[in-house]
Amino acid sequence: MTSKEIRVLTPAEIKTKLRELRAELLQLRLKKHTGQVEKPHMIRVLRKDIARLETIFREKPAA
């Protein structure tokens, strides 16, 4: 997810997307510990997407 795509979202949509990505990250971490993860690089991708979402969420004015 790019910064341009995130900036178009409303704060409520960003919160929802954050919740979804955090849940997905948790599932990937659990799979990694059991040795079932097929795409280990996705953990890094999700962490970066979460960081982008949090950063842009803080930049937006609280309305």
Side-chain angles (χ1 to χ4, degrees), residues 9-50:
L9 301 174
T10 64
E13 291 172 329
I14 291 175
K15 279 187 179 181
T16 305
K17 192 71 173 165
L18 270 170
R19 200 172 311 121
E20 291 171 0
L21 289 179
R22 286 185 176 136
E24 189 176 342
L25 180 61
L26 175 65
Q27 292 301 318
L28 276 177
R29 284 182 176 160
L30 292 174
K31 285 183 181 181
K32 181 181 178 188
H33 286 291
T34 60
Q36 298 174 351
V37 69
E38 295 174 8
K39 299 177 184 177
H41 73 281
M42 287 304 294
I43 294 172
R44 177 180 284 165
V45 171
L46 285 174
R47 282 183 24 224
K48 288 186 177 190
D49 282 347
I50 289 170

Side-chain angles (χ1 to χ4, degrees), residues 3 7 14 52-62:
S3 296
R7 290 185 194 283
I14 291 175
R52 275 190 209 102
L53 283 164
E54 288 177 347
T55 301
I56 293 172
F57 180 73
R58 286 190 181 100
E59 288 176 357
K60 289 190 176 237

